Amino acid sequence: AETLPMEQLYSFCKHIVPSNCFVERCSKNAWEEIEGSDSNSNSSSSGYFGLQTEKWYGVEFFLTPIDEKMTALWAEPNQNASHLSLPNPNQYIPRSLELCEDLPDEAKSPRIEKAIDPPVLLENGPEGRLWWRLDDRYALPKSSLTVLIRTTKAEHKLVRLDGGAAIYDFDSKSSQLSNLLTLVFQEATAQYTYDAHLAGLGFTLSKSSSGFSLTVSGYSDRLSTYAQELLIKFCSSDFIKKNHFTSSKDRTVRSLRSFHESKRADSIAMYYRDLLLSGKNQGVENSLATVEQISLDDIISHHHDVFSDCDSKLEVLYTGNVSQDHAVTMFDAAKNIVRAKRRNVEANGSSDANRSLVPGPLERRLPPGEDIEIHFQSRNVKEENGAVIVTFQSQVDGFKGKALSTEDSLKRSAAIRLISRIVKEPFFNELRTKQQLGYIVSSFYESGYTTRQAAYFASNPAAVPHSTSIDSLSMYVLSKKVKPTDIANRIDEFLVGFRDRLVDQSEEDLDKHASALARLLTKPTRKLNSEASSHMSKIRRFSPELFSSENENNAVNSMPWDSAQILARAVRGLKKEDIISVWDSLVVNSESAKITSLVYGAKYPLEPGLQGKPLTTMEGLLKKRSTLKPYGSCEPSQQGLKFLLRRKPALCYAVVGAAAAVTVGAVIMSKCGRLNNDQKTK
C-alpha cells in the first residue's frame, strides 16, 4: 500500500467516464450496418464524422458519435448491482513454484552453458512413444509438453484401386479441413483458456503433414491438468459450433482471396518456387475453391475420420520441471483419452491400406544440370518492386546424423553452410552497396527434408519410413530500380566472379568464418521452449524411420541429438579445396541444379518474348512439377545397407560413406562451367 500511487490512480480513474469513451467495432456486419444507417448520412455532413481514410495506410473507416441517450444511461449509477461479482478463483494459478525433488543440488541454479542432455525414451508401445527430460539447466518451475497425434488422415484420404486394394493419397480437402479444425478449436476455447493464460500457461494446436500437435507450456504445477483438459476437448467434437466454424472459414477465405493482392513481390516469388519444389496442392486458387465448398457437416465428419484412424499413434515429449513418474502418468492419461474417443466412433482403420506410410513433408529433386526459370506478374497493384530468388539445390543428400549419413554428406553440408556465410557479405556489398540494386539484398542457407510419400509405399509395400536431408543455397533481391531479368543476370555475374574470391581467400580468413559458424551452431539454447521445439522436431522426423527397426536400443542411440556439434566440428575441419570443390558442384558445374523465380512489379511489368522455355502460367508450372521426382526416391544405398544401418549404424556409416565418396567425387571433379560472363540474357 505504501508504494501504490493512490493520488495518480484516482486522477486517472476520473477520466474513465462515458463522455471520454471510444467504442471500436470491427466486423463485416458492423460496416454494413453503419453504411446503411441514417446516422451515417447525418454525420457525414459534419465533416468530422462519417467515412474517413487513415493517412498512413489508406484504410477506410467510419467515425460516428455515440447516442447521447446511451452515454446518459451509462452515467447513471446503478443501485442494483447484484449481477456483478468477483471472478471465480483461477484454478490454473500454480500452487507451488518449487523445483522437482529429483533434481541434484547443483542443478537448482541456472547452468545455461551446460550441454543439453537428450530426452530419454520412457515408453515405446503400440499406442505411441513417450520422451522425457528433466531440465537441469534453467532452474525454473516451468515445463513444456507436446502431444503429436500422428495420423495419415490429416492430409490424406483412402483411395480404392481397381483391384480392390486401398492406398492413402494426398487430398487437398482433407488438408484444408484439418487447418480449419485447428482454427475452430482455438476460437472455441478462447474464453475457456483465458484464466490459464493469465496464470502463465499457453497452448498451440497446429496441423502439419505428420498430424496434429498440441503444445502446452508454462508453469509446471498445473500444466498436465490443463493439457489433459485441452486434449479431451479436442477429442470431443462438441467444440465444433456453427458460429466458430463460420468465423474460421471466413477468415481463411479472406486470407486466401487477398493472398496475391496483399503480398510483397519476394513473398510471391518464394511462393511459386515452393509450389514447384515442395507443394502438394494445386496453388492458392485451388485451396480457395476447396475451402469455399467446405460445410459444417464436412468438418464434423473429418473430425470423426481423424479419430477413427486405428493406425494413428501418439508421440509425446514432456520436458522441464517434471519428474519421470509424472511424465508417465500424463502419457497414460493421454492414451486413455484418445482410446476412449476411438471407442466412441466406428473403427475405420486402414488394415488393407499402405500401413507403413508415415506422412511427412515433400521436396522434389531438380535433375542434374536443370536450370528452371519461373516468371509471374505480381497481382498487387501497389507493389512497384520486382523480386528474384535464385536457389541452388545440392545433388548430394544432406547430413542427418552420424549414424544416418555418409561422411561425404557431413562434409558437404558443412561446406554449403560455410559457403552461405562467406558469400553473404560480399553479395550484399556488391549488389546493394556498390550497384545499389535493391531495396533488399540477401543470401541464405536452407535446410529441408523430404519423406517417402504415399505413391512410394503403394509400389513398395514392404518399404519402411525414410527421410532425406536437402541442402540449398539461395540469393534474393527485391528492387524497383531494374528489371527482374537484369537482376537475375547480375546475380549470375556475381556468382561467376565469386569463385575467384574463394580462391584468393586466405586460410586465416576462412578459419575466422569457420570458427564464427561453429560458435553459432553450438551456441547454448537459452529458452526451455526453444530446446523442447528442437528436440520435438527431431522426434517428429526421425522416430518413424529409426523405430521401424526391431532393435530399440540402436534406434535410441541413432537419434541425431548431437548433429549441430558434429556439424560444427566438420566446419572447423574444412580446407579451402573442400569449399571450392563444393562451390563448383553446387553452383557452376554442368551438374548443378538451379531454379530462378522472378516476380514483376508495377515499375517493370512482365513483358512477352522471354527467351528459353520459362514457366509463366500455373498450368505450365504444375505440368513441370509432375515431371519432378521426390528427392528421396532414388537413394544410392542398397536395401541391404539400409537394413544394416538400422542395426549396426557405425559399420554402415563407414561402408556407405566410402561408396558415396567415390560416386560424389566423380560429380565434383566435373569442371564444365555452366555460368559465364557471356551467358544467356533472359
Side-chain angles (χ1 to χ4, degrees), residues 100 132-135 140-146 200-202 215-224 317-323 326 528-529 532:
C100 180
W132 162 80
R133 175 174 137 69
L134 175 60
D135 168 51
L140 292 173
K142 293 187 175 183
S143 297
S144 176
L145 169 68
T146 297
L201 289 171
T215 298
V216 185
S217 60
Y219 289 105
S220 51
D221 183 47
R222 308 270 193 172
L223 188 143
S224 62
L317 171 64
Y318 205 166
T319 183
N321 187 46
V322 56
S323 68
H326 192 77
L528 175 65
N529 287 348

Side-chain angles (χ1 to χ4, degrees), residues 217-431:
S217 60
Y219 289 105
S220 51
D221 183 47
R222 308 270 193 172
L223 188 143
S224 62
T225 301
Y226 183 47
Q228 290 175 50
E229 293 171 355
L230 288 169
L231 188 57
I232 290 171
K233 287 182 178 295
F234 182 58
C235 289
S236 167
S237 60
D238 294 342
F239 70 89
I240 307 176
K241 304 295 184 183
K242 184 177 181 179
N243 58 328
H244 301 312
F245 165 73
T246 302
S247 174
S248 299
K249 178 180 175 179
D250 179 62
R251 282 187 285 123
T252 302
V253 167
R254 284 188 284 112
S255 175
L256 291 170
R257 280 179 180 166
S258 64
F259 178 82
H260 284 287
E261 289 76 15
S262 62
K263 298 293 184 182
R264 222 167 54 178
D266 51 339
S267 297
I268 299 299
M270 190 73 75
Y271 158 74
Y272 284 119
R273 186 204 70 169
D274 292 347
L275 185 62
L276 179 69
L277 282 181
S278 56
K280 295 182 181 180
N281 58 28
Q282 304 297 302
V284 168
E285 292 82 358
N286 177 265
S287 297
L288 174 60
T290 300
V291 172
E292 287 178 329
Q293 297 300 316
I294 290 176
S295 67
L296 179 62
D297 289 340
D298 288 333
I299 201 165
I300 293 174
S301 176
H302 182 65
H303 183 273
H304 180 280
D305 288 343
V306 166
F307 285 100
S308 65
D309 180 8
C310 61
D311 297 326
S312 68
K313 296 180 182 299
L314 296 179
E315 197 88 62
V316 176
L317 171 64
Y318 205 166
T319 183
N321 187 46
V322 56
S323 68
Q324 177 175 330
D325 290 343
H326 192 77
V328 171
T329 300
M330 173 63 208
F331 186 57
D332 289 340
K335 289 188 295 182
N336 288 334
I337 292 168
V338 175
R339 194 184 302 131
K341 174 62 181 178
R342 287 205 188 113
R343 283 199 297 263
N344 291 332
V345 298
E346 178 184 358
N348 187 24
S350 54
S351 56
D352 56 345
N354 42 331
R355 299 186 63 171
S356 297
L357 170 63
V358 177
L362 164 69
E363 183 165 333
R364 299 172 181 86
R365 180 190 289 273
L366 297 177
E370 187 76 77
D371 190 352
I372 299 174
E373 288 188 5
I374 302 171
H375 296 256
F376 278 90
Q377 176 66 45
S378 171
R379 300 183 211 170
N380 184 349
V381 295
K382 296 182 179 180
E383 174 61 286
E384 293 187 345
N385 292 291
V388 177
I389 296 177
V390 179
T391 297
F392 295 92
Q393 185 189 72
S394 174
Q395 293 296 292
V396 179
D397 293 358
F399 178 69
K400 296 165 61 175
K402 186 171 183 179
L404 303 171
S405 300
T406 67
E407 191 69 45
D408 184 73
S409 290
L410 171 59
K411 180 180 285 189
R412 187 175 177 87
S413 288
I416 295 175
R417 288 173 183 263
L418 184 55
I419 285 170
S420 71
R421 183 177 182 87
I422 296 172
V423 77
K424 190 178 186 70
E425 186 175 344
F427 182 66
F428 180 87
N429 288 341
E430 179 64 32
L431 273 69

Side-chain angles (χ1 to χ4, degrees), residues 558-633:
S558 298
M559 285 291 290
W561 306 116
D562 59 349
S563 56
Q565 288 74 21
I566 294 174
L567 276 167
R569 290 195 293 271
V571 166
R572 286 194 172 99
L574 291 171
K575 303 299 182 184
K576 181 189 288 189
E577 53 267 28
D578 299 326
I579 299 170
I580 294 174
S581 178
V582 171
W583 173 265
D584 288 343
S585 64
L586 179 68
V587 177
V588 299
N589 280 357
S590 60
E591 296 295 308
S592 62
K594 174 187 176 189
I595 179 170
T596 305
S597 181
L598 304 91
V599 169
Y600 297 74
K603 184 73 177 290
Y604 294 104
L606 176 61
E607 298 176 351
L610 296 170
Q611 296 184 11
K613 296 181 179 180
L615 306 177
T616 58
T617 64
M618 280 294 294
E619 181 182 4
L621 188 150
L622 295 175
K623 183 178 180 180
K624 178 64 178 179
R625 191 177 79 175
S626 67
T627 67
L628 301 177
K629 296 181 179 180
Y631 194 99
S633 62

Side-chain angles (χ1 to χ4, degrees), residues 467-500:
S467 67
T468 306
S469 293
I470 306 162
D471 298 314
S472 299
L473 174 66
S474 293
M475 355 272 296
Y476 91 94
V477 176
L478 180 72
S479 173
K480 62 180 180 181
K481 290 192 173 183
V482 295
K483 297 178 181 179
T485 48
D486 292 339
I487 295 173
N489 286 331
R490 296 198 196 185
I491 293 174
D492 283 350
E493 291 171 4
F494 169 84
L495 294 171
V496 169
F498 185 72
R499 188 185 191 280
D500 293 335

